[in-house]
Amino acid sequence: MQISPSEDKTPVVGSPSSPQEAAEGLYFSDGKRKVDYVLVLHQRRNSSIRSHASAAVSHDRLSIVSNGNFPPSAGLDAAGGKIGSESLGEPARAGEVFMELGDAGEKESTEAADHEVRLIRQEFEASLLEAGLELERDKELKTYGPSFTRLHAPWPVLCREAEFLKIKVPTKTSYELKEESGFGSSMSTLWKKMNHPFQPKVPHQDQERTKFLTHCFSRDKLHLYNITSKDTFFDNATRARIVYEILRRTVCVRTCQTIGISTLIAKGVYDDAFPLHDGDYKVIGHLEEKSERQVLHNEWARYSAFYKYQPIDLVRKYFGEKIGLYFAWLGVYTQLLIPASIVGIIVFCYGVATVDSDVPSLEMCDERLNFTMCPLCDGACDFWQLSTACGTAKASHLFDNPATVFFAIFMSLWAVLFLEQWKRRQISLSFSWDLTGIEEDEEHPRPKYETILLQKRQRKQKTKKKKKKKKKNEAAIEKLTWKDRLPGYFINVSSVLFMFGLTFSAVFGVIIYRITVSALMAMSSDPDTKSNVRVTVTATAVIINLVVILILDEIYGAVALWLTELEIPKTETHFEERLILKAFLLKFMNAYAPIFYVAFFKGRFAGRPGSYVYVFNHYRMEECAPGGCLIELCIQLSIIMLGKQLIQNNIFEIGIPKLKKLVRALKDKGTAEKEIEEERPPKQWNLDYALAPFDGLTPEYMEMIIQFGFVSLFVASFPLAPLFALLNNVIEIRLDAKKFVTELRRPVAVRAKDIGIWYNILSGMGKFSVIINAFVISFTSDFIPRLVYQYMFSQTGTMHGFIDHTLSYFNVSNFKPGTAPHNLEQGTITFCRYKDYREPPWSPDAYTFSKQYWCVLAARLAFVILFQNLVMFLSLIVAWGIPDVPKTIVEQLKREKKLLVDVFLREEKEKFQLIQSLFSKSALHQPGRHEEHPGTGSQLPGRFSTLPPGPEQGLHGDWGGPRARCRAASFSQFSRNVPTSPKNGDENSRHTMV
């Protein structure tokens, strides 16, 4: 039997019933059914199609999508050819899809791999049809390039899956959110008026005071939901998520024993799979006519909207909760950087205002004091005057002053406040987004896990002997054990240790560079070169550090991904958590190792004149500047932080994606030129396929977490760090928004209750920052030595004489042979000074640590303990004083629960009354039934048994009478008449045939 074209009532691409909608590429060819998901198959030039001529002749077989309604011997004479099952060597089965390209009479055999892939694809698409999805393919045959299979989920499938996934939907019942009264109300109104210019112009924003009750979807309670249109009740993101869940759990048992679309993409059966964007992001028309993507582009993804709040609710609706939570977290972080930046600016301004009155800086700049310092290198360097370091001393005071201690305490409390504020914001979003009480979705194994598990089973089946314990053996290979992962764990540990060694080697290499260049420049005969040794070496070394960090960052990201794959995590959640931990550990060490060296190690192991520590027996270990190492720490931190942000934002996040897009455009140039020649506007799936795939939020979070470390860990050395982070984040939000809206394919909407492991990392860094800042203030800055001198050793109780107190004496006659200066421009010098607390050469214990050293060390350790305990105590007070759940949310949750109970009680009461009335009428027509059990009342069965019995309830317990049905039709009513036999007619076909 052959079906003529006139009998085929299913529309094909190219003959849309709604030209405007079909032109947008968001619907099937009939212009009515939405495209919820797209599967992409990329035809290679070396595919099973052997010649272009065979694709152009009229005897080609066309790809069709069948829902199983064709008899086994049936074929389609769509283009003068036939499609059947004889080419596959087995009879056609209901629900199977056969796709064959090539001449009907041609007996050329295809490659085994291509044949296997085609079989897998056929079984998978047949399973999708059995699950209720509707499919549509392109009409044209392509010899190469992408071909698309569109998927549509009809209403019965959406209802079934929404109930299975427990998706919360709005009911018809709504209530007004409680408004404040009195002074609070007037302040709230004033705040809204002040905030109005900063609010994005989002449609239906005025309905935020009205909230609809939500409930998990159930097909038995359709009459309770606010269903105005079946096409729009589930938004596009929810529809795509439902289809993705079906794709994820669909099994291919007969061909490859795999589960889900991810495994098929990994096997090369499909090239990609993604949901569609809501049309073009360019605005055409008035506000009410804009799509969600256009609104997001106008009000969120433009740099000109930097001053506006983010439309978080719309972001969540379009991209899902996981991405919505990321941007909400980034918004809270950026907002709280504003007070931190203001306080940092005040601290910096305090340093600028007091630099001219700082006594230690004035003493260092005073040439009359004539502090002759010991040489900075052996032989080539001469003695020098401390007054030449006047500029360094004044610059150090800008960041090393009493206000810095206050700022360190403030930033430690700020980190706690940020985490508490985010917890409150997260719970508020969970309430407004109906995430309270959701269960985590069951995850299927990852493709690689499935593949290795299958290989293990096959090895077991080949090697096992005939034993009675066969069932135990089969049960033992249902999952991978630690023995299977042991090689991966060993490689992980050894590789991470190697990466740590590589990072330390890079830092040590820069140290060697600084030492050697300093020595070479000191030997120069040019006086200008000698005078600029420290500035030149510091600046160039920091730039080298920055370049090394950026290169190793990319390497470590790839290595962390490779190492995580070796661990063979079972699910995507486990994979993501392990990847995040490894990537964070490696990148944290990479970014902060140079800074830790300058803060805590530089100058502490250099030795003293006459007994210096040498590297390679020739080069002296470097020392801190006369003003201390804090100014060098500030330079290191500022250049690495600013350079990392600027280069990563401008080159990695903007330049590289545009370069990849250009490469993809050049690859698809032939296809694009062909479409231009045929004068056909590209469909939405073509446009989205040209975009970059979404690779997850890990890079976005990682960038912000590293920045959070710059802001919190060493903020005592650089009070302007929050300001630069704020400026970066204002741009970063719009940059990420633009990337998500215009440059990336639409990701599947993923539910998430929180930001996951990132919160634990933030909390750990906040606690670690307290320790780091305590040690920076104690050991890197001069805050503690100044306090000790002022209150223990100063004769006047002031800072006068502090510089002389911190400098020790050295007898130049004690220099080792060959290390004394060769050219003495300072004349005859008996003693030189160096910064340390040591006994003078005329003391019996010459050059040993003095009493002042031990006093300062004790004070430093005491300050570390006091600072940590004080900040921790204040942090506990802040965390205790700010409740995690806002009071308004608690009240609204109670109110919603009460209203929801009232709704269901009222529904049950109405059902009970209706059932009573129906059976009362039935009893009037059949009076004999009342006499069977006189005086006895039977309970109504099932869910009505909890209600009190009515006065006329005298029915059989087995529900003998007709059953009243006062609810909407369930899924069985939609699907009970759907035939499964392939012999039924075309009236039951719901799928497109091309």
Side-chain angles (χ1 to χ4, degrees):
M1 173 183 171
Q2 291 184 348
I3 303 174
S4 64
S6 61
E7 292 173 341
D8 182 14
K9 302 292 181 65
T10 312
V12 296
V13 176
S15 57
S17 60
S18 176
Q20 182 179 358
E21 292 176 340
E24 295 176 357
L26 301 176
Y27 292 82
F28 274 18
S29 58
D30 56 10
K32 297 178 181 179
R33 292 175 291 173
K34 286 184 178 180
V35 177
D36 297 320
Y37 222 88
V38 174
L39 305 179
V40 186
L41 170 64
H42 200 89
Q43 301 284 357
R44 313 296 176 187
R45 289 182 182 271
N46 56 346
S47 65
S48 59
I49 302 174
R50 299 303 179 189
S51 64
H52 295 287
S54 63
V57 297
S58 61
H59 293 285
D60 290 354
R61 295 178 183 174
L62 301 180
S63 300
I64 73 163
V65 177
S66 166
N67 64 342
N69 290 334
F70 295 98
S73 60
L76 175 64
D77 191 8
K82 296 180 181 180
I83 180 165
S85 60
E86 63 274 5
S87 62
L88 296 177
E90 59 178 308
R93 301 178 183 178
E96 289 193 0
V97 181
F98 297 103
M99 179 182 67
E100 185 73 33
L101 300 176
D103 193 285
E106 187 178 3
K107 296 183 179 180
E108 185 178 1
S109 61
T110 60
E111 296 181 2
D114 293 339
H115 183 67
E116 181 184 0
V117 164
R118 187 164 60 252
L119 288 177
I120 296 172
R121 193 182 306 122
Q122 290 167 1
E123 183 186 358
F124 182 73
E125 293 182 358
S127 300
L128 295 181
L129 293 170
E130 291 177 0
L133 296 181
E134 300 177 6
L135 280 68
E136 180 185 70
R137 285 204 190 92
D138 295 336
K139 177 184 176 182
E140 297 80 7
L141 296 175
K142 291 186 177 181
T143 57
Y144 66 93
S147 60
F148 302 91
T149 301
R150 277 85 65 189
L151 307 180
H152 167 77
W155 174 254
V157 175
L158 293 174
C159 293
R160 182 191 71 211
E161 297 298 323
E163 183 174 354
F164 175 72
L165 296 173
K166 298 182 180 180
I167 295 176
K168 289 189 175 183
V169 294
T171 63
K172 295 178 181 178
T173 307
S174 64
Y175 68 95
E176 295 291 330
L177 298 179
K178 185 179 179 181
E179 296 185 2
E180 298 179 2
S181 58
F183 179 74
S185 176
S186 58
M187 292 300 296
S188 178
T189 305
L190 178 63
W191 179 251
K192 286 181 180 179
K193 289 182 179 179
M194 293 174 61
N195 265 344
H196 184 71
F198 305 103
Q199 296 294 337
K201 297 178 181 178
V202 179
H204 312 297
Q205 197 173 8
D206 54 344
Q207 299 178 1
E208 59 182 7
R209 299 302 308 171
T210 302
K211 192 174 190 303
F212 285 88
L213 289 179
T214 58
H215 187 260
C216 292
F217 187 87
S218 174
R219 288 170 285 175
D220 293 338
K221 302 184 183 300
L222 291 179
H223 59 285
L224 292 180
Y225 306 129
N226 190 20
I227 304 177
T228 57
S229 171
K230 292 182 179 180
D231 294 332
T232 59
F233 181 67
F234 296 105
D235 57 35
N236 292 343
T238 305
R239 296 174 68 100
R241 179 177 159 230
I242 287 174
V243 175
Y244 174 72
E245 290 295 330
I246 298 175
L247 293 173
R248 193 178 69 167
R249 69 169 187 261
T250 301
V251 185
C252 293
V253 179
R254 182 173 61 87
T255 53
C256 59
Q257 299 181 359
T258 56
I259 301 177
I261 185 65
S262 301
T263 307
L264 297 183
I265 293 175
K267 288 178 175 290
V269 178
Y270 290 100
D271 187 58
D272 216 328
F274 53 87
L276 294 180
H277 278 292
D278 292 352
D280 195 2
Y281 62 86
K282 297 178 182 177
V283 178
I284 300 175
H286 302 289
L287 182 64
E288 295 298 329
E289 299 176 0
K290 292 179 183 177
S291 65
E292 292 178 351
R293 189 185 187 192
Q294 292 170 343
V295 173
L296 287 173
H297 180 260
N298 277 4
E299 300 296 326
W300 182 54
R302 293 197 303 176
Y303 295 108
S304 58
F306 73 94
Y307 62 94
K308 292 185 178 182
Y309 289 101
Q310 298 183 84
I312 291 297
D313 290 333
L314 188 58
V315 173
R316 170 255 178 180
K317 182 181 178 184
Y318 192 81
F319 292 109
E321 285 81 4
K322 192 170 185 178
I323 294 176
L325 283 173
Y326 163 71
F327 281 103
W329 172 84
L330 185 56
V332 171
Y333 172 50
T334 304
Q335 287 178 2
L336 286 180
L337 281 174
I338 296 176
S341 302
I342 294 173
V343 176
I345 293 173
I346 293 174
V347 170
F348 179 75
C349 292
Y350 172 82
V352 174
T354 58
V355 65
D356 292 330
S357 59
D358 181 54
V359 175
S361 300
L362 295 176
E363 288 185 351
M364 286 186 65
C365 296
D366 192 354
E367 297 181 359
R368 295 172 296 178
L369 295 178
N370 194 25
F371 292 115
T372 302
M373 306 298 293
C374 295
L376 296 175
C377 63
D378 295 341
C381 298
D382 194 7
F383 299 102
W384 57 286
Q385 296 296 317
L386 183 61
S387 58
T388 57
C390 177
T392 305
K394 290 186 175 182
S396 298
H397 179 74
L398 298 178
F399 305 100
D400 187 4
N401 54 69
T404 305
V405 180
F406 161 76
F407 188 61
I409 297 175
F410 172 81
M411 288 304 297
S412 299
L413 297 178
W414 173 88
V416 177
L417 181 66
F418 162 59
L419 294 176
E420 292 297 322
Q421 179 65 20
W422 168 242
K423 280 197 291 187
R424 288 172 60 86
R425 175 64 170 158
Q426 186 172 266
I427 291 174
S428 299
L429 292 176
S430 297
F431 170 72
S432 60
W433 293 351
D434 298 313
L435 298 177
T436 53
I438 67 168
E439 300 176 2
E440 293 189 2
D441 298 333
E442 181 185 357
E443 290 192 77
H444 294 289
R446 298 181 67 248
K448 186 169 183 179
Y449 181 91
E450 276 191 325
T451 303
I452 295 178
L453 184 61
L454 183 61
Q455 292 173 355
K456 183 180 178 182
R457 287 172 179 167
Q458 291 173 349
R459 288 196 303 268
K460 287 280 186 181
Q461 290 175 357
K462 290 180 181 178
T463 57
K464 73 179 180 180
K465 299 179 181 179
K466 295 181 180 180
K467 293 182 180 180
K468 296 180 180 180
K469 299 181 180 180
K470 182 179 179 182
K471 293 184 178 179
K472 290 185 178 180
N473 290 336
E474 291 178 352
I477 57 173
E478 289 300 321
K479 63 179 182 179
L480 298 180
T481 62
W482 65 271
K483 294 180 180 179
D484 302 308
R485 296 186 171 96
L486 188 59
Y489 290 152
F490 177 76
I491 296 175
N492 264 264
V493 173
S494 57
S495 299
V496 169
L497 293 177
F498 173 76
M499 294 300 156
F500 283 174
L502 181 62
T503 301
F504 295 145
S505 300
V507 174
F508 185 71
V510 176
I511 294 172
I512 299 300
Y513 164 81
R514 295 163 67 113
I515 293 172
T516 53
V517 172
S518 297
L520 292 175
M521 292 183 68
M523 297 176 187
S524 174
S525 58
D526 186 6
D528 293 334
T529 303
K530 283 187 174 183
S531 61
N532 296 323
V533 169
R534 196 175 294 276
V535 176
T536 304
V537 170
T538 301
T540 55
V542 172
I543 292 174
I544 293 173
N545 267 329
L546 175 62
V547 173
V548 171
I549 287 172
L550 293 176
I551 294 174
L552 290 182
D553 249 4
E554 298 302 311
I555 295 175
Y556 288 167
V559 169
L561 183 63
W562 173 66
L563 292 177
T564 310
E565 290 284 0
L566 291 179
E567 289 187 28
I568 324 173
K570 184 175 182 180
T571 63
E572 285 294 340
T573 300
H574 293 159
F575 178 85
E576 186 177 357
E577 289 180 353
R578 297 181 186 188
L579 173 63
I580 288 170
L581 284 176
K582 270 187 281 294
F584 171 74
L585 194 61
L586 293 174
K587 293 191 176 187
F588 179 88
M589 187 64 64
N590 179 44
Y592 297 113
I595 301 174
F596 270 97
Y597 164 73
V598 174
F600 303 120
F601 298 101
K602 184 178 179 181
R604 304 192 185 278
F605 307 100
R608 60 170 179 83
S611 179
Y612 283 113
V613 177
Y614 291 88
V615 179
F616 302 133
N617 297 322
H618 185 67
Y619 298 106
R620 270 170 49 181
M621 283 291 293
E622 56 182 345
E623 303 174 65
C624 291
C629 279
L630 195 69
I631 184 62
E632 293 188 41
L633 177 62
C634 174
I635 295 172
Q636 185 100 1
L637 182 65
S638 59
I639 292 181
I640 290 178
M641 178 182 176
L642 297 178
K644 204 169 185 298
Q645 291 182 162
L646 291 175
I647 293 177
Q648 281 188 337
N649 286 352
N650 293 307
I651 296 180
F652 293 168
E653 292 198 23
I654 298 177
I656 292 180
K658 289 188 179 297
L659 185 62
K660 290 182 179 178
K661 189 175 181 180
L662 179 62
V663 171
R664 286 196 305 269
L666 292 176
K667 286 183 178 179
D668 299 334
K669 188 176 181 181
T671 308
E673 289 177 352
K674 184 178 178 181
E675 290 182 353
I676 293 174
E677 290 175 2
E678 296 177 2
E679 298 181 355
R680 289 182 305 167
K683 301 290 185 181
Q684 188 63 42
W685 46 82
N686 294 98
L687 297 174
D688 286 6
Y689 183 64
L691 301 176
F694 173 67
D695 294 327
L697 291 169
T698 300
E700 315 299 336
Y701 272 115
M702 188 67 68
E703 181 184 349
M704 290 296 104
I705 295 296
I706 296 297
Q707 185 202 82
F708 180 78
F710 286 125
V711 169
S712 59
L713 291 181
F714 296 94
V715 73
S717 63
F718 189 42
L720 295 180
L723 175 64
F724 290 110
L726 173 64
L727 297 176
N728 174 79
N729 287 6
V730 169
I731 301 174
E732 180 73 20
I733 289 175
R734 307 303 162 179
L735 178 66
D736 287 346
K738 187 178 181 65
K739 181 170 65 175
F740 273 88
V741 174
T742 65
E743 297 178 5
L744 294 180
R745 295 176 194 162
R746 186 174 186 172
V748 179
V750 179
R751 284 196 302 182
K753 294 185 291 186
D754 49 40
I755 60 174
I757 196 174
W758 295 110
Y759 182 85
N760 299 330
I761 293 175
L762 284 169
S763 180
M765 291 185 71
K767 292 178 174 61
F768 190 49
S769 68
V770 177
I771 302 173
I772 294 299
N773 282 306
F775 276 94
V776 167
I777 295 172
S778 296
F779 290 90
T780 309
S781 73
D782 281 338
F783 176 74
I784 299 301
R786 292 184 184 189
L787 283 181
V788 171
Y789 172 77
Q790 185 174 358
Y791 293 104
M792 292 185 64
F793 299 103
S794 176
Q795 300 294 332
T796 60
T798 62
M799 293 302 298
H800 292 286
F802 173 73
I803 297 299
D804 182 63
H805 176 75
T806 58
L807 297 178
S808 299
Y809 287 89
F810 178 75
N811 193 334
V812 297
S813 62
N814 294 331
F815 274 122
K816 289 184 178 180
T819 60
H822 300 322
N823 300 318
L824 296 177
E825 298 179 1
Q826 302 288 337
T828 304
I829 294 176
T830 307
F831 297 100
C832 65
R833 310 292 294 271
Y834 61 99
K835 189 173 182 179
D836 205 346
Y837 291 101
R838 292 182 181 271
E839 295 290 343
W842 54 82
S843 171
D845 301 321
Y847 305 126
T848 60
F849 288 120
S850 63
K851 181 181 71 173
Q852 290 89 344
Y853 171 82
W854 299 110
C855 290
V856 171
L857 180 61
R860 282 173 165 167
L861 295 176
F863 177 82
V864 169
I865 297 173
L866 177 65
F867 183 89
Q868 290 184 34
N869 286 277
L870 175 63
V871 172
M872 291 298 182
F873 176 72
L874 294 176
S875 300
L876 290 175
I877 293 179
V878 171
W880 175 79
I882 302 176
D884 293 344
V885 185
K887 186 178 179 181
T888 55
I889 300 297
V890 175
E891 294 176 354
Q892 289 175 17
L893 283 172
K894 292 180 180 178
R895 188 179 179 187
E896 279 201 4
K897 184 180 293 186
K898 182 178 180 299
L899 289 173
L900 206 55
V901 170
D902 292 343
V903 167
F904 286 110
L905 284 178
R906 186 167 58 251
E907 181 203 6
E908 295 294 327
K909 186 177 180 181
E910 291 174 356
K911 289 180 181 179
F912 180 70
Q913 292 174 353
L914 180 59
I915 292 169
Q916 279 188 323
S917 63
L918 289 175
F919 279 89
S920 297
K921 293 178 181 179
S922 177
L924 292 176
H925 294 290
Q926 300 178 10
R929 295 184 61 185
H930 282 281
E931 299 173 359
E932 292 180 2
H933 300 278
T936 61
S938 62
Q939 291 288 334
L940 291 176
R943 51 188 170 175
F944 306 115
S945 60
T946 58
L947 297 175
E952 300 179 3
Q953 185 176 353
L955 307 175
H956 283 296
D958 58 353
W959 200 264
R963 181 180 177 184
R965 193 175 182 89
C966 57
R967 56 182 172 83
S970 64
F971 175 70
S972 60
Q973 289 176 289
F974 289 100
S975 59
R976 67 161 62 109
N977 293 326
V978 177
T980 57
S981 173
K983 297 182 180 181
N984 293 324
D986 288 341
E987 64 274 9
N988 293 323
S989 175
R990 299 163 301 159
H991 313 293
T992 302
M993 177 177 58
V994 269

